[in-house]
Amino acid sequence: MIVIGIDPGLARVGYGVLRKGERFPAPLAFGCIETGGDRSPPERLLEIHERVSALLDEYDPAWVVLEKLFFSRNVTSAMRVSEARGVILLAAEQHGVGIAEYTPNQIKQAVTGSGRADKHQVQEMMRRLLRLDEIPRPDDAADGLAIALCHINMVR
């Protein structure tokens, strides 16, 4: 089973692709989709949709897993993230992929043992649990891996 974890955003979408193994999940890919701030929001959303669709075509996952939207005080930022989530959900639905969502606290709890873990702790746990040579960077990519790992742990 292949799972793609996605940390949505308009400027940067973190992703992690994991294969559920016999003993341990295996990382297949991780990184970020970055959209230029010099482009209009609709152009940036189109790029996110196209690049997520390309990931779905390449890895043919059973699941796309997203971090649930965390409403902060910045309503404009929350709106942009929700728009990015929308095009990601659209791509997953168009590809017939299962969709799951977890809160930031659920993800942190599942991969670090603490719902209050900081970004560095999540990065370090991804390095250890996935047997990576280095901490995955940027932190959005580590979040994508953590989201995918959370789902793998939940469906065991």
Side-chain angles (χ1 to χ4, degrees):
M1 173 176 73
I2 295 176
V3 176
I4 298 182
I6 298 181
D7 182 21
L10 184 63
R12 183 184 285 165
V13 176
Y15 66 88
V17 184
L18 297 179
R19 173 177 286 141
K20 182 179 178 183
E22 291 285 324
R23 295 186 54 179
F24 304 106
L28 302 179
F30 59 89
C32 288
I33 298 166
E34 296 189 45
T35 63
D38 58 331
R39 297 172 49 212
S40 71
E43 291 172 317
R44 295 168 86 180
L45 292 169
L46 177 60
E47 181 177 356
I48 292 167
H49 181 269
E50 290 173 344
R51 301 230 358 236
V52 168
S53 291
L55 284 171
L56 298 173
D57 288 338
E58 182 175 354
Y59 293 102
D60 191 27
W63 291 93
V64 167
V65 186
L66 286 92
E67 182 175 270
K68 283 187 180 175
L69 183 59
F70 175 75
F71 286 99
S72 62
R73 294 177 195 185
N74 187 338
V75 174
T76 302
S77 176
M79 291 295 292
R80 293 292 184 216
V81 172
S82 66
E83 291 171 347
R85 283 176 45 83
V87 299
I88 293 164
L89 292 169
L90 173 62
E93 189 64 29
Q94 287 174 327
H95 283 77
V97 178
I99 299 168
E101 300 176 278
Y102 299 98
T103 66
N105 285 350
Q106 285 175 306
I107 296 161
K108 292 175 189 178
Q109 180 70 38
V111 301
T112 70
S114 170
R116 295 177 169 238
D118 63 26
K119 293 279 188 188
H120 181 73
Q121 288 170 308
V122 171
Q123 287 176 300
E124 178 59 27
M125 286 306 293
M126 290 305 90
R127 184 190 68 76
R128 290 180 186 185
L129 294 172
L130 300 175
R131 295 163 176 71
L132 299 171
D133 293 333
E134 296 179 7
I135 288 176
R137 297 188 196 284
D139 56 9
D140 301 279
D143 289 347
L145 289 169
I147 294 162
L149 184 59
C150 173
H151 185 70
I152 287 173
N153 289 339
M154 294 296 203
V155 297
R156 282 194 173 165

